[in-house]
């Protein structure tokens, strides 16, 4: 337990409010104070009125707050909503991997050039041991898994219902933490894979439009980016 004192003089007595903090949890977070992944303690406080340093009355509760173990600064608990740098990198790697699989599932895995481009993009994103064979196998397994008679929309059918759900689950939590340029970058990597064997197929276009939506890019921007990528030789 630690205390923080705010004291004021009233007449001859020294009165103050002292906050007594209790630790109610801990973990790792991104500290906006000292700028990095740090351990934190979650604290709740009780205000006590003190006279001459002696706690006399309970004056309500304080917090909860998050205290950085490194710099000791206090933050509102919504600071914990932001992923740590480590977690963020993992989310980004996973996003690129999932987009890659979705585009491959829509465009077919028969082209060597497409698989080569795809594996290169996934490795660049940080999954160093990704191979063409690995991507090929995952897409085949997912395609077999989906089976006929799905009731999902055309875009979902194009990349498999399971992948459509996966796309939203992976991209949605990432989107708020990524600047527009970063979100566009994820979409454009998908576009590069789709374009590796020529213009977008209808299915590839649908999947990439779905990716743009899951990344919270507006439909017009997504369409414009996809068109611009198609015009630019890679
Ligand atoms: Zn800190």
């Amino acid at each position: 337990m630690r205390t923080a004192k705010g004291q004021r003089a009233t007449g001859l007595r020294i009165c103050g409010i002292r906050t007594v903090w209790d630790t109610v949890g801990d973990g790792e977070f991104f500290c906006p104070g000292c700028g990095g992944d740090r351990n934190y303690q979650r604290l709740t406080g009780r205000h006590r009125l003190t006279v001459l340093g002696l706690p006399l009355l309970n004056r309500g509760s304080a917090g909860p707050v998050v205290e950085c173990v490194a710099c000791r600064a206090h933050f509102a608990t919504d600071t914990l909503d932001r992923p740590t740098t480590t977690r963020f990198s993992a989310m980004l790697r996973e996003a690129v991997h999932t987009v890659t699989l979705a585009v491959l599932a829509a465009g077919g895995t028969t082209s060597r050039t497409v698989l080569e481009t795809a594996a290169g993009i996934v490795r660049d994103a940080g999954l160093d041991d990704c191979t063409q064979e690995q991507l090929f196998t995952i897409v085949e397994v997912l395609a077999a898994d989906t089976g006929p008679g799905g009731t999902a929309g055309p875009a979902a059918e194009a990349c498999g219902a399971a992948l459509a759900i996966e796309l939203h689950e992976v991209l949605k939590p990432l989107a708020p933490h990524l600047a527009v340029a970063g979100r566009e970058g994820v979409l454009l990597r998908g576009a590069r894979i789709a374009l590796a064997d020529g213009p977008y197929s209808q299915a590839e276009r649908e999947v990439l439009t779905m990716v743009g939506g899951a990344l919270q890019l507006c439909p017009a921007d997504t369409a414009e980016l996809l068109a611009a990528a198609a015009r630019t030789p890679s």
Side-chain angles (χ1 to χ4, degrees):
M1 261 196 244
R2 288 180 307 282
T3 60
K5 287 180 194 175
Q7 295 195 331
R8 65 199 153 92
T10 37
L12 293 173
R13 292 184 211 153
I14 305 291
C15 291
I17 298 285
R18 188 155 74 168
T19 309
V20 182
W21 294 102
D22 294 315
T23 304
V24 291
D26 56 19
E28 199 181 36
F29 81 136
F30 181 87
C31 175
C34 56
D37 294 353
R38 309 280 185 257
N39 289 319
Y40 71 82
Q41 288 188 317
R42 199 188 178 97
L43 309 170
T44 56
R46 284 165 288 137
H47 294 310
R48 292 280 181 78
L49 176 70
T50 59
V51 176
L52 295 172
L54 295 172
L56 290 183
L57 286 168
N58 234 330
R59 298 298 295 268
S61 55
V65 295
V66 169
E67 184 188 81
C68 173
V69 168
C71 72
R72 295 289 176 198
H74 285 191
F75 305 97
T77 49
D78 62 5
T79 310
L80 300 182
D81 296 344
R82 180 175 174 171
T84 61
T85 311
T86 311
R87 175 78 195 114
F88 178 75
S89 309
M91 287 165 85
L92 198 54
R93 277 200 302 273
E94 205 183 341
V96 172
H97 191 228
T98 310
V99 168
T100 301
L101 292 174
V103 173
L104 286 178
T109 46
T110 46
S111 161
R112 207 72 199 160
T113 325
V114 171
L115 279 173
E116 209 175 295
T117 308
I121 282 174
V122 173
R123 279 196 300 269
D124 284 349
L127 288 167
D128 299 335
D129 52 0
C130 173
T131 62
Q132 298 177 35
E133 291 69 27
Q134 220 178 60
L135 291 175
F136 178 84
T137 309
I138 300 172
V139 172
E140 292 297 296
V141 168
L142 284 169
D145 234 28
T146 308
T151 52
E157 263 171 41
C159 79
L163 267 175
I165 294 165
E166 184 76 9
L167 266 183
H168 281 276
E169 280 180 356
V170 170
L171 299 181
K172 274 222 172 114
L174 173 70
H177 304 292
L178 207 53
V180 173
R183 283 182 272 146
E184 291 179 351
V186 173
L187 176 70
L188 288 174
R189 275 177 265 191
R192 259 174 60 204
I193 297 166
L195 292 166
D197 63 346
Y200 304 114
S201 67
Q202 181 62 25
E204 284 172 338
R205 195 181 287 280
E206 281 168 6
V207 166
L208 289 167
T209 302
M210 189 163 66
V211 168
L215 285 166
Q216 291 170 24
L217 295 168
C218 84
D221 288 348
T222 299
E224 203 172 299
L225 281 165
L226 294 180
R231 283 194 301 269
T232 316
S234 53

